[in-house]
């Protein structure tokens, strides 16, 4: 989510709620793990950043998002469904392994465990995954509220007076049933965006009225020492990638290699030299999430822009980073 209160629900993918969610398909252990974690970032590549608008590439689209000028302050929040979502996936792996034996499905890695969509196991997982996605939207909404309250307290005013509206909340790592053109015919497809994010074009019925002329905002998180981007979806992307683009830079080094090769204090000093403040829960996270651990996000974004599957709109530079 980018917080930059106009209708927050409309500025969420699926209006912040997948209707096929069934909480009875979520195990008691998953619920127990998720309950105390609501309103928290989590570890890994999740973060909350205070950012400054560095460049505007499309002034008309940026203005629709409430971004009027360079130097404007935004907050970007990247987090998911926490332990609840992790447990949903763990539970599904066990259930699907049994289904694979029954249906004679063979894969070369346990992490690729699967079930037929129409099977009981497949339907149970989709309903539980949708519930986890709903938890993630509530989680981000909770942190958005807390973020607004923090800014209001600091500046001794209200979030509305600070114009802290939400630009968009969009998921990645999610499977959804969508309508797409395939071989010249409209078909119902299961779209699984893993390490990718939705990027619907202008005039698409599932994006807010505010963005009908510009295309859906697409949030591309970079690294804590470089930059992030907001893109917009395109018609070409709809045709070539089913309305999908990248969701970030992608790792250059594994977490283990980052811990071996990078020095904690050096990474912190480099951030300080760039004028970036950081609050982090664990020293190892600093090394795992250092800018050197990732590909160059600008190169990745330029590739997507050049291919026409999403258009550059705004470049954001971090000034303060919170890692869970």
């Amino acid at each position: 989510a980018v917080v930059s209160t106009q209708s927050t629900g409309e500025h969420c993918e699926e209006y912040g709620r997948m209707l096929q969610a069934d909480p009875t398909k979520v195990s008691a252990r998953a619920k127990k793990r998720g309950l105390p974690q609501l309103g928290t970032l989590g570890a890994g590549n999740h973060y909350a950043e205070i950012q400054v608008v560095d460049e505007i590439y499309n002034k008309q689209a940026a203005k629709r998002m409430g971004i009027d000028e360079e130097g404007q302050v935004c907050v970007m929040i990247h987090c998911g469904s926490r332990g609840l979502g992790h447990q949903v996936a763990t539970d599904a792996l066990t259930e699907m392994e049994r289904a694979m034996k029954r249906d004679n499905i063979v894969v070369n890695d346990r992490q690729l465990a699967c079930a037929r969509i129409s099977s009981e196991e497949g339907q149970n997982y989709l309903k539980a995954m949708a519930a986890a996605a709903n938890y993630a939207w509530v989680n981000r909404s909770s942190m958005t509220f807390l973020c607004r309250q923090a800014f209001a307290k600091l500046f001794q005013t209200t979030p509305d007076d600070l114009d802290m509206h939400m630009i968009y909340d969009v998921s990645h790592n999610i499977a959804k049933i969508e309508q797409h053109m395939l071989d010249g015919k409209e078909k119902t497809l299961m779209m699984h965006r893993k390490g990718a994010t939705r990027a619907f074009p202008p005039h698409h019925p599932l994006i807010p009225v505010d963005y009908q002329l510009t295309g859906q905002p697409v949030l591309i998180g970079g690294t804590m020492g470089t930059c992030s981007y907001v893109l917009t979806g395109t018609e070409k992307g709809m045709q070539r990638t089913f309305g999908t683009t990248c969701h970030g830079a992608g790792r250059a080094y594994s977490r283990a290699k980052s811990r071996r090769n990078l020095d904690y204090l050096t990474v912190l000093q480099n951030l300080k030299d760039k004028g970036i403040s950081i609050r982090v829960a664990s020293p190892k996270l600093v090394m795992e999430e250092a800018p050197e651990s990732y590909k160059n996000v600008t190169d990745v974004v330029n590739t997507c822009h050049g291919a026409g599957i999403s258009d550059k709109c705004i470049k954001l530079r971090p000034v303060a980073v919170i890692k869970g």
Side-chain angles (χ1 to χ4, degrees), residues 41-96:
L41 279 170
N45 64 351
H46 296 152
Y47 61 81
E49 284 188 0
I50 301 174
Q51 303 171 333
V52 173
V53 176
D54 213 31
E55 289 186 64
I56 298 175
Y57 305 102
N58 184 329
K59 290 186 177 181
Q60 181 183 4
K63 193 172 183 64
R64 294 299 303 166
M65 300 177 198
I67 303 298
D68 298 311
E69 59 187 2
E70 293 178 6
Q72 196 167 335
V73 175
C74 298
V75 177
M76 184 179 283
I77 299 170
H78 175 210
C79 69
S81 51
R82 302 293 279 115
L84 182 142
H86 188 278
Q87 191 63 44
V88 163
T90 301
D91 294 340
L93 280 174
T94 303
E95 195 173 344
M96 288 182 178

Side-chain angles (χ1 to χ4, degrees), residues 10 17 29 45 60 79 81 92 96 118 140 144 213 236 242 273 321:
E10 189 179 346
R17 181 188 176 197
R29 175 161 174 73
N45 64 351
Q60 181 183 4
C79 69
S81 51
M96 288 182 178
S118 58
R140 288 191 290 271
T144 300
L213 297 179
K236 189 174 184 180
F242 302 106
D273 291 344
V321 182

Side-chain angles (χ1 to χ4, degrees), residues 7-18:
S7 56
T8 297
E10 189 179 346
H11 285 196
C12 276
E13 180 183 0
E14 298 286 340
Y15 290 86
R17 181 188 176 197
M18 291 184 74

Side-chain angles (χ1 to χ4, degrees), residues 76 197 218-222 227-231 245-249 297 301:
M76 184 179 283
T197 193
V218 182
L219 312 180
I220 310 298
C227 57
S228 297
Y229 288 86
V230 180
L231 315 180
T245 192
C246 69
H247 90 285
V297 67
V301 166

Side-chain angles (χ1 to χ4, degrees), residues 93 96-97 100 105-115:
L93 280 174
M96 288 182 178
E97 282 182 325
M100 288 167 62
I105 300 172
V106 179
V107 295
N108 59 10
D109 189 322
R110 181 175 182 264
Q111 294 295 320
L112 298 176
C114 58

Side-chain angles (χ1 to χ4, degrees), residues 124-300:
N124 284 347
Y125 174 66
L126 289 174
K127 291 171 184 177
M129 182 210 64
N134 289 352
Y135 175 99
W137 276 308
V138 173
N139 192 30
R140 288 191 290 271
S141 179
S142 299
M143 280 185 279
T144 300
F145 170 79
L146 293 170
C147 173
R148 286 173 171 148
Q149 295 303 307
F151 271 75
K153 182 178 180 180
L154 181 67
F155 291 105
Q156 297 183 337
T157 182
T158 67
D160 286 344
D161 287 340
L162 289 170
D163 193 24
M164 294 189 73
H165 67 273
M166 189 167 78
I167 291 177
Y168 206 60
D169 183 329
V170 65
S171 305
H172 60 259
N173 297 350
I174 191 169
K176 297 169 68 179
I177 295 172
E178 296 176 356
Q179 304 297 317
H180 290 277
M181 296 300 294
L182 186 64
D183 299 327
K185 297 179 181 178
E186 184 175 83
K187 294 193 175 182
T188 301
L189 304 177
M190 174 67 73
M191 289 302 305
H192 181 197
R193 296 184 175 96
K194 170 65 177 171
T197 193
R198 197 184 78 174
F200 280 174
H203 312 300
H204 194 283
L206 293 182
I207 63 175
V209 172
D210 290 342
Y211 303 132
Q212 280 292 309
L213 297 179
T214 63
Q216 175 210 306
V218 182
L219 312 180
I220 310 298
T223 72
M224 58 189 182
T226 54
C227 57
S228 297
Y229 288 86
V230 180
L231 315 180
T232 50
T234 66
E235 188 57 46
K236 189 174 184 180
M238 200 68 184
Q239 296 167 3
R240 297 186 64 182
T241 62
F242 302 106
T244 305
T245 192
C246 69
H247 90 285
R251 296 195 71 90
Y253 299 150
S254 68
R255 298 185 192 280
K257 187 174 181 180
S258 295
R259 290 195 299 271
R260 287 195 305 268
N261 293 358
L262 300 175
D263 176 67
Y264 165 69
L265 294 176
T266 301
V267 175
L268 289 181
Q269 187 60 49
N270 289 341
L271 292 173
K272 186 177 180 181
D273 291 344
K274 294 178 181 177
I276 301 171
S277 300
I278 182 168
R279 297 292 181 272
V280 65
S282 163
K284 74 172 186 177
L285 267 178
V286 174
M287 296 174 287
E288 291 176 358
E289 298 303 313
E292 297 87 348
S293 300
Y294 285 84
K295 300 170 190 172
N296 186 316
V297 67
T298 298
D299 290 344
V300 174

